[in-house]
């Protein structure tokens, strides 16, 4: 389009200017497309419309239940130097988080204690990672020449193992006694593993909290998230067996070294 036509477009009344431009082969609709909208080939008549985005994307796969993706205690490496610290902390965290599926803070009395002690052990690991590749080395390094009050990581590990063992024994009791309700299984484990180590005033509080755990059927329904109950039981058996190996190993190590008693 010549400069004369541009000037004419702005100086003449609008209708007259449009007519002049059209006589020169210029159309306003074409200008809008050429100036502001990227050119696109029109859809040929008679052909099917462009495929929608949903047909181009692969179908969404259902999310796997939490217990299938969480780190298992059965997968925590154990060498001659001891139990791998980082993997143990990950497995412990995933194990505790699993109980979030029950909702409503049902296992809050257990989770809060476990999480607090996981944080304590993790802090010690992060302070001296090179000296803490295994839980045994973490303890010996922290306790070497340190006063009893300065062994926070070790004290947290003792309490963490105690809480994990209590939970382990309760869930194992649940598997072995198919007719028992969940609160009964936790009460049995509490009386044997946790109650002797708790202050007298705290014991009735925990006992009341145990009564609030869900029914056995509700527990399985929420934890499995629609997955196979049998598969969950099989995985849980592996988790608890792996945890037992770790706890028994560390219980002996802590007692022999005078570091604490689970």
């Amino acid at each position: 389009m010549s400069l004369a036509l541009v000037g004419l477009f702005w100086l003449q009344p609008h209708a007259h200017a449009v007519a002049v431009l059209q006589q020169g082969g210029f159309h306003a609709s074409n200008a809008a497309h050429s100036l502001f909208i990227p050119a696109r080939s029109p859809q040929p008549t008679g052909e099917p419309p462009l495929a929608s985005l949903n047909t181009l994307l692969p179908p969404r796969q259902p999310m796997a239940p939490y217990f299938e993706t969480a780190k298992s205690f059965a997968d925590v490496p154990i060498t001659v130097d001891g139990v791998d610290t980082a993997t143990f902390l990950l497995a412990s965290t995933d194990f505790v988080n699993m109980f979030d599926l029950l909702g409503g803070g049902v296992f809050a009395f257990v989770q809060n204690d476990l999480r607090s002690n996981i944080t304590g052990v993790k802090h010690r690991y992060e302070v001296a990672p090179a000296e803490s590749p295994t839980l045994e080395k973490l303890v010996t390094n922290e306790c070497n020449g340190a006063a009893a009050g300065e062994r926070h990581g070790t004290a947290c590990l003792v309490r963490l193992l105690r809480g994990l063992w209590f939970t382990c024994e309760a869930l194992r009791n649940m598997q072995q006694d198919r007719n028992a309700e969940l609160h009964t299984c936790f009460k049995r484990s509490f009386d044997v593993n946790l109650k002797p180590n708790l202050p007298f005033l705290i014991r009735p509080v925990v006992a009341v909290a145990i009564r609030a755990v869900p029914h056995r059927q509700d527990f399985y329904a929420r934890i499995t998230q629609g997955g196979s109950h049998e598969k969950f039981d099989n995985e849980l058996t592996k988790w608890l067996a792996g945890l037992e190996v770790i706890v028994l190993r560390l219980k002996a190590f802590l007692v022999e070294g005078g570091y604490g008693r689970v």
Side-chain angles (χ1 to χ4, degrees):
M1 182 174 62
S2 66
L3 292 176
L5 287 177
V6 173
L8 183 61
F9 176 78
W10 292 108
L11 294 176
Q12 296 292 336
H14 180 69
H16 179 66
V18 171
V20 172
L21 290 173
Q22 289 178 340
Q23 290 177 3
F26 180 83
H27 295 276
S29 60
N30 293 338
H33 278 281
S34 61
L35 294 176
F36 304 108
I37 304 176
R40 185 176 65 177
S41 300
Q43 184 74 29
T45 305
E47 291 189 8
L50 294 175
S52 67
L53 183 61
N54 289 336
T55 61
L56 298 177
L57 295 175
R60 179 177 296 179
Q61 298 297 323
M63 185 177 295
Y66 180 82
F67 72 86
E68 293 185 12
T69 60
K71 175 61 70 174
S72 171
F73 287 110
D75 298 328
V76 177
I78 300 177
T79 65
V80 292
D81 291 327
V83 180
D84 185 79
T85 303
T87 314
F88 171 79
L89 289 172
L90 176 58
S92 298
T93 300
D94 283 357
F95 183 68
V96 174
N97 289 343
M98 180 177 67
F99 293 101
D100 286 339
L101 298 173
L102 300 177
V106 172
F107 279 91
F109 74 97
V110 175
Q111 289 178 290
N112 292 340
D113 182 69
L114 292 176
R115 283 175 173 149
S116 174
N117 290 311
I118 288 173
T119 300
V121 177
K122 184 179 180 182
H123 175 72
R124 176 60 196 176
Y125 173 68
E126 292 174 343
V127 167
E131 293 79 18
S132 311
T134 65
L135 294 174
E136 288 87 341
K137 286 186 177 296
L138 181 149
V139 170
T140 54
N141 178 266
E142 182 182 50
C143 296
N144 185 21
E150 299 174 356
R151 303 175 180 179
H152 181 66
T154 300
C156 286
L157 178 61
V158 171
R159 292 192 295 268
L160 174 58
L161 292 171
R162 190 179 296 156
L164 289 173
W165 186 243
F166 154 70
T167 310
C168 172
E169 287 293 274
L171 295 176
R172 177 175 289 164
N173 194 279
M174 177 192 72
Q175 289 186 314
Q176 294 173 347
D177 188 349
R178 299 287 177 177
N179 296 319
E181 277 295 344
L182 200 58
H183 70 83
T184 301
C185 300
F186 271 83
K187 179 64 166 55
R188 291 169 181 169
S189 180
F190 171 73
D191 289 341
V192 175
N193 300 296
L194 209 55
K195 186 176 180 179
N197 298 294
L198 291 179
F200 180 77
L201 295 177
I202 300 297
R203 295 176 186 178
V205 177
V206 177
V208 171
I210 288 176
R211 296 289 301 180
V213 301
H215 292 292
R216 183 188 193 97
Q217 184 177 355
D218 293 336
F219 173 82
Y220 271 93
R222 296 179 190 178
I223 290 293
T224 57
Q225 298 176 287
S228 168
H229 290 196
E230 182 179 358
K231 188 172 184 179
F232 169 72
D233 257 334
N234 292 336
E235 290 300 318
L236 183 60
T237 298
K238 297 175 184 177
W239 278 30
L240 300 181
L243 179 57
E244 180 181 28
V245 171
I246 293 171
V247 172
L248 294 181
R249 176 191 178 99
L250 288 170
K251 282 177 68 174
F253 165 78
L254 292 167
V255 170
E256 291 172 5
Y259 303 120
R261 184 178 296 274
V262 175

